[in-house]
Amino acid sequence: MRSINDCFLILFVSILVFGMVRICEAGGLRKNFYKQTSCPKAEDLVRSLTRVKAEANPALGAKLLRLQFHDCFVRGCDASILLDRVGTDQAEKDARPNLSVSGYQEINDIKAKIEQACPGVVSCADILALAARDAVSFSEMASRSYLGFDPIGHQFKSLKTIRRFMQPGSYEILVACNTVSVPSPTPLWDVLTGRRDGNVSLASEVNGNIPGPFSNFTSLKRLFLNKGLNVNDLVALSGAHTVGFAHCGTFSRRLYNFTGNGYTDPSLDATYIESLKAQCPNPADPQTTVEMDPQSSGSFDSSYFNILVQNKGLFQSDAALLTDKSSGKTVQQLRKPRAFLDEFGKSMKKMAAIGVITGNAGEIRKQCGKINSQV
């Protein structure tokens, strides 16, 4: 009987043999970039490996979305956030706004598998963009228990997998031989590929480029405009707060000392305040987290915008979207599920193109945490 490792090897060799062509020197991003390279099945492989990770960790989608966002807003979408510090020089991941960011190990693991199949072809920047999308897509399917259809009505594509039970109620999906067919979600948004990896990562460049939970609308709008994103993008991308959790310290000031005199934030729903206080006593426990979208933090949907108009946005930056006429109008429009998914996908496509490196610039890292000269 073939082992799982043998089956992986067979898959990797088949990828190498099929469609061997020279890597195209892309002047920009495009759909299915890797189909014209020596790794034509790259996106399928990333999707399969991400599915294993998402099955083991339902919160992975939210983590990778945040990781991608924090990467793209500093130096562009070049995977610079994945680089480790060198000596005493702090990297982006060491900056305070990134200390609670996670998902690094999952991307490193996926990259290692990809390198076994297609060494030196697929960038860490593309893996991050693809894995973030795929983790959210798979988690959404799992949370809603769809049988044959994804959240926006498309039929699932067939994916050959097997289930290896590890403990009651959980299983690991592996790409292997002698497999059976199980549902695979249609991606929730398109990801263009062809990025290359950057060689620089500086903690000093993070502050001022990452919007914080205390930001007002003016600062949010200015920061997004500086990245080539408009108010519609700001509102749509804020919808990512429909999944995941937040530490109490990121919003406790709204509960206990909003004005500096011990008052609560008057723009926050009073009942919601009491609920949050019960979960986050003062002073805040740095380890305690709460849902960013109450009762819906596991589903990627438009629920965030419904709670927002109920004055239950967790962060000041959420509530800030209601303080501007234009953004407030967009909030109302995105309460419709299909409208949110459509607009989020468009804005993600724009965000994922910020400052990308293509063609012969940068490099394709062998390891996501190190530039090639350090490997």
Side-chain angles (χ1 to χ4, degrees), residues 217 224 230-240 304-305 308 321 326-328 330-332 334 340 344 347:
F217 181 79
F224 272 67
N230 58 34
V231 171
N232 285 344
D233 299 318
L234 164 60
V235 178
L237 292 174
S238 295
Y304 165 81
F305 298 101
L308 197 55
L321 300 181
S326 177
S327 64
T330 304
V331 166
Q332 292 291 347
L334 298 190
F340 165 59
F344 185 84
S347 294

Side-chain angles (χ1 to χ4, degrees), residues 252-274:
S252 61
R253 188 169 67 184
R254 302 185 74 193
L255 308 180
Y256 299 104
N257 197 28
F258 185 65
T259 61
N261 295 312
Y263 296 109
T264 59
D265 184 346
S267 70
L268 194 59
D269 178 81
T271 302
Y272 189 39
I273 287 176
E274 295 308 312

Side-chain angles (χ1 to χ4, degrees), residues 138-179:
F138 177 69
S139 297
E140 172 64 4
M141 181 195 77
S143 70
R144 292 181 176 273
S145 300
Y146 276 88
L147 298 176
F149 293 90
D150 76 357
I152 55 177
H154 297 299
Q155 286 188 321
F156 290 133
K157 298 176 181 178
S158 176
L159 175 69
K160 290 186 175 181
T161 61
I162 61 173
R163 294 182 177 186
R164 175 159 59 86
F165 286 87
M166 300 181 292
Q167 60 184 18
S170 68
Y171 59 87
E172 181 177 359
I173 300 180
L174 299 172
V175 177
C177 15
N178 301 321
T179 60

Side-chain angles (χ1 to χ4, degrees), residues 30 52 64 94 113 140 158 180 190 197 211 225 269 347 374:
R30 66 173 182 267
V52 175
L64 294 186
D94 301 311
K113 292 292 186 183
E140 172 64 4
S158 176
V180 295
D190 288 333
D197 300 320
L225 286 176
D269 178 81
S347 294
Q374 298 169 351

